[in-house]
Amino acid sequence: MSLRVSRLFAWIWTRGILLIAGIITLIPFFWLLASSFKSNEEFFRSTFLPVEGGRIVWERLTTDPFKRLFQELNFSNSLTNSVFLSSVTGVVATLCCAMGGYSLAKFRFKGRGFCTALVLAAVLIPAPLIIAPTYQLLYRMDLLDSFAGLILPALAPAFGVFLFRQAIVSGVPNDLLEAARIDGAGEWRTFVTVVLPLVRPMIGTFLMVTFLAMWNNFIAPQVVLQDPSKFPLSVAVAELRRGYYNDYGLQMAGTIVSILPVMALFLVMQKDFVSGLTSGAVKA
Amino acid sequence: MSASVAAIPAGAPSGVGNLSGGVRSRARAGSGGRLAPWLFLSPFLACFALFTLYPLVQSVVLSMQTTFGPGATKFVGLSNFRGLMHDPLFWIALKNTAVYTLGSLLIQLPIALGLALVLETPGLRGRGWIRLLLFSPSMVGVVFAAMMFALIFEKQTGLANQGLHSLLSPLGIDWSLDFGWLQQHVMSALILASLWMYVGFNMTFFSAALQNVRKDLIEAAVVDGAGPLRRFWTVTIPAIRPVAGFVVLMSVIGSFQLFELPFIMFNNTGGPDNRALTIVLYLFQNGFETGDLGYASAIGWALAVILVVCAAFQRLTARGEEAAA
């Protein structure tokens, strides 16, 4: 076999594998999307889009599941709850972690070594271990069935402090902090105007991570909340499976509504990552 | 959550263990007073102490109690742990979780590595977009993926059976539309679903590691006349070993905490004959359905011990490799 032919084979082989992987990744998304526009009858009739005589029959699709979701089941309420919980948690947790990371990265004080070790050790604690005692604590603090009971325990992820410490150690030169001090900036002002802009890519990344973690969190809201009007999307969607077991379109539409905002955010942030990373590199 | 969270370290600036902040920052501490570092740390420390450290300590206390809901507790000593040792359901859960973990590791990681190798082929166009696409399922929450796969694995109407049926029938194999994924082949269904969710996620780590394999080493191997397979075993594999170890550990930790996928797919149960009962699912059932937070905490500690042993094992083998190298 000549070199050119074997190269051609390698080309086809690699592209073929990636094509198959891409299709397998996309098909469930596509199936989900198509099913969410179907009545139950249509769900049994066609796998993807309804086709008759080689043409897609769009009329057999319906927006009915979405209408019922928002009109009968008050899904907009769950959507609002999810947006609220995830945004508040994301912003506050990011701020807490950035402040903590800055402290451990740029100050010398008694207890710094201990706090750093604490943060490193805490990363290893498996979340399920503290579910039961946290539930009991929230009960004693009278925070069950409240948003505070969901947000407060999510505000201090130890790995976040660790990540910001690393980012600030390598991304914020001491000279700049000195210069800010000579210019008469206070501690807080230095943090906000000098440190935070320099670790912007990390802020974007961590905002996304904490936002997603709360959005996709199921076990905590499932355990803490009782009042259905407080349910975020994760619990509301799971309730669909319990209450509307045979209503496939409704379940799929609820899932689509829950996934789409996150996917959109992911696409938007992805571009931001790249430009943020490059501009940060140029500045530093 | 553990999965999406672990995505970060790879992108984070490196420099682990490099405690900086030399003479100049000592001067900073003087300027802002001794209080400044503590003020910056205080929001984190307060939340952390209240919602991580205190529950951690309390979980030890709880594990020696029997509770009836969060309010009524009774001290029972070590009998929760003794009960756990003789609890057939716990052993079923442990076995299922271990099978799932092994299945995920042995199927998922080789595919992830293979995809990463293909993705890092020189001259490939649109690499960034492909990586983004394959990574995207890991952004979907496990609950939502579970909703989707619950219907994908249905008899008759499910995508899995319909897809296999129409793909295999031209080859003369008759795949039954009544293949019972959710009835008999529970573990396969779970492993396949997690394959879809995390293979691209793991691939991303491998592909980052592959980018750091030294080109001159590969070229030297080519000059020495080593074929592609030999280059892979003698140059690539040793070079990506540290990242591979990290990915393995992360997968083990994530797999052992499997909960939402079976919980949603099997309607809040452990599946037929408890074949989808996992450790965390059993913990949830005891703590929040039966109301015994004490027994749930004991299960939590059993899980923690298993994970610590896995982490220590990974540490030891990594160290052994370093010593050998």
Side-chain angles (χ1 to χ4, degrees):
Chain A
M1 196 162 46
S2 79
L3 192 64
R4 194 179 287 175
V5 173
S6 75
R7 277 223 181 118
L8 184 69
F9 264 112
W11 194 95
I12 295 171
W13 173 237
T14 51
R15 271 68 178 178
I17 287 178
L18 290 176
L19 186 71
I20 291 170
I23 289 174
I24 292 176
T25 305
L26 274 178
I27 275 190
F29 281 130
F30 184 65
W31 184 74
L32 176 70
L33 191 66
S35 307
S36 68
F37 287 98
K38 283 177 186 174
S39 63
N40 248 9
E41 186 194 335
E42 186 54 49
F43 184 82
F44 285 101
R45 268 173 87 185
S46 57
T47 310
F48 294 103
L49 292 169
V51 178
E52 234 170 71
R55 285 178 54 206
I56 298 167
V57 194
W58 295 102
E59 296 81 52
R60 267 162 54 189
L61 295 179
T62 167
T63 54
D64 200 46
F66 290 95
K67 278 190 195 137
R68 289 181 54 208
L69 217 50
F70 283 99
Q71 283 163 6
E72 290 169 35
L73 292 163
N74 208 7
F75 237 59
S76 52
N77 192 37
S78 299
L79 188 61
T80 317
N81 291 341
S82 274
V83 171
F84 174 78
L85 284 168
S86 309
S87 316
V88 171
T89 311
V91 171
V92 182
T94 304
L95 189 66
C96 280
C97 291
M99 286 167 66
Y102 173 51
S103 172
L104 294 181
K106 292 295 177 185
F107 289 92
R108 298 205 117 195
F109 57 99
K110 249 189 174 178
R112 180 174 82 160
F114 175 74
C115 289
T116 310
L118 194 70
V119 164
L120 282 175
V123 174
L124 298 172
I125 300 171
L129 175 59
I130 54 173
I131 290 173
T134 305
Y135 177 75
Q136 195 185 38
L137 175 67
L138 292 173
Y139 165 79
R140 287 179 181 158
M141 292 171 78
D142 204 18
L143 286 177
L144 286 184
D145 203 21
S146 76
F147 282 172
L150 280 179
I151 295 173
L152 287 174
L155 290 186
F159 71 95
V161 174
F162 176 72
L163 290 181
F164 272 104
R165 199 204 76 156
Q166 298 308 115
I168 290 169
V169 161
S170 61
V172 181
N174 289 331
D175 306 10
L176 273 184
L177 297 177
E178 281 297 291
R181 192 171 67 85
I182 290 166
D183 289 348
E187 290 298 337
W188 181 252
R189 192 132 173 237
T190 309
F191 173 67
V192 173
T193 58
V194 179
V195 178
L196 288 187
L198 282 174
V199 291
R200 237 172 80 182
M202 181 52 89
I203 292 177
T205 310
F206 199 68
L207 262 178
M208 175 96 183
V209 169
T210 43
F211 184 94
L212 265 181
M214 185 50 106
W215 187 280
N216 291 337
N217 193 345
F218 171 72
I219 194 164
Q222 167 75 27
V223 161
V224 170
L225 301 176
Q226 272 114 46
D227 176 2
S229 73
K230 290 184 184 136
F231 286 169
L233 287 169
S234 55
V235 180
V237 162
E239 290 290 312
L240 284 183
R241 188 158 161 75
R242 277 164 226 164
Y244 298 83
Y245 188 68
N246 288 318
D247 208 330
Y248 304 111
L250 200 64
Q251 291 177 47
M252 294 293 97
T255 311
I256 279 282
V257 169
S258 312
I259 289 177
L260 272 189
V262 164
M263 281 299 162
L265 189 71
F266 173 57
L267 278 178
V268 172
M269 293 293 283
Q270 191 64 28
K271 277 185 187 162
D272 224 41
F273 279 161
V274 180
S275 67
L277 283 170
T278 45
S279 75
V282 172
K283 265 189 228 152
Chain B
M1 148 148 186
S2 60
S4 57
V5 149
I8 296 317
S14 58
V16 184
N18 167 27
L19 276 169
S20 94
V23 187
R24 281 165 197 269
S25 44
R26 196 193 300 260
R28 274 201 71 64
S31 75
R34 284 169 195 287
L35 223 54
W38 290 107
L39 285 179
F40 277 113
L41 259 179
S42 58
F44 166 74
L45 280 183
C47 285
F48 183 73
L50 187 58
F51 290 107
T52 303
L53 284 185
Y54 174 76
L56 189 65
V57 174
Q58 195 61 26
S59 73
V60 180
V61 178
L62 261 178
S63 70
M64 288 185 266
Q65 290 174 336
T66 292
T67 77
F68 312 93
T73 62
K74 192 180 99 191
F75 182 80
V76 294
L78 290 176
S79 79
N80 277 336
F81 291 99
R82 242 172 292 155
L84 208 54
M85 297 299 290
H86 299 107
D87 182 347
L89 279 178
F90 173 72
W91 289 104
I92 289 174
L94 184 63
K95 194 201 91 194
N96 288 340
T97 314
V99 168
Y100 169 81
T101 303
L102 267 182
S104 303
L105 282 181
L106 296 181
I107 296 169
Q108 180 150 180
L109 297 187
I111 295 180
L113 177 59
L115 281 175
L117 282 168
V118 172
L119 191 70
E120 294 304 323
T121 320
L124 183 72
R125 283 218 230 146
R127 185 176 290 141
W129 287 108
I130 300 170
R131 190 181 295 131
L132 197 66
L133 171 66
L134 297 186
F135 183 81
S136 64
S138 61
M139 296 286 101
V140 176
V142 185
V143 195
F144 309 122
M147 288 292 292
M148 202 163 82
F149 278 100
L151 293 190
I152 283 179
F153 286 124
E154 283 268 328
K155 284 183 181 177
Q156 295 287 337
T157 56
L159 180 63
N161 281 343
Q162 291 200 346
L164 285 168
H165 182 78
S166 53
L167 277 180
L168 293 179
S169 54
L171 304 174
I173 304 164
D174 187 33
W175 185 276
S176 167
L177 284 174
D178 282 321
F179 189 81
W181 291 102
L182 299 177
Q183 289 75 33
Q184 283 97 42
H185 306 275
V186 169
M187 210 35 89
S188 318
L190 291 177
I191 289 173
L192 283 176
S194 79
L195 190 64
W196 180 81
M197 281 192 281
Y198 297 123
V199 91
F201 179 80
N202 290 321
M203 178 202 74
T204 312
F205 285 92
F206 284 126
S207 91
L210 287 174
Q211 284 164 12
N212 290 329
V213 177
R214 281 168 56 194
K215 297 273 181 309
D216 55 331
L217 279 182
I218 295 179
E219 275 155 22
V222 173
V223 171
D224 289 348
L229 252 181
R230 206 182 149 79
R231 286 203 298 271
F232 178 71
W233 281 113
T234 54
V235 181
T236 311
I237 287 284
I240 63 169
R241 214 164 211 165
V243 174
F246 173 72
V247 172
V248 168
L249 182 63
M250 224 169 49
S251 302
V252 170
I253 290 175
S255 302
F256 259 97
Q257 298 186 22
L258 180 73
F259 166 66
E260 283 103 330
L261 198 60
F263 185 75
I264 299 288
M265 278 170 71
F266 298 99
N267 288 304
N268 308 7
T269 70
D273 301 329
N274 280 315
R275 266 184 272 178
L277 186 71
T278 66
I279 297 177
V280 178
L281 183 46
Y282 193 48
L283 185 157
F284 180 89
Q285 285 180 348
N286 275 287
F288 303 102
E289 282 167 14
T290 317
D292 191 350
L293 296 174
Y295 200 60
S297 294
I299 298 171
W301 275 107
L303 175 69
V305 167
I306 293 170
L307 293 183
V308 165
V309 169
C310 289
F313 181 73
Q314 196 265 342
R315 254 313 200 13
L316 279 178
T317 50
R319 211 170 277 165
E321 274 157 20
E322 269 166 35

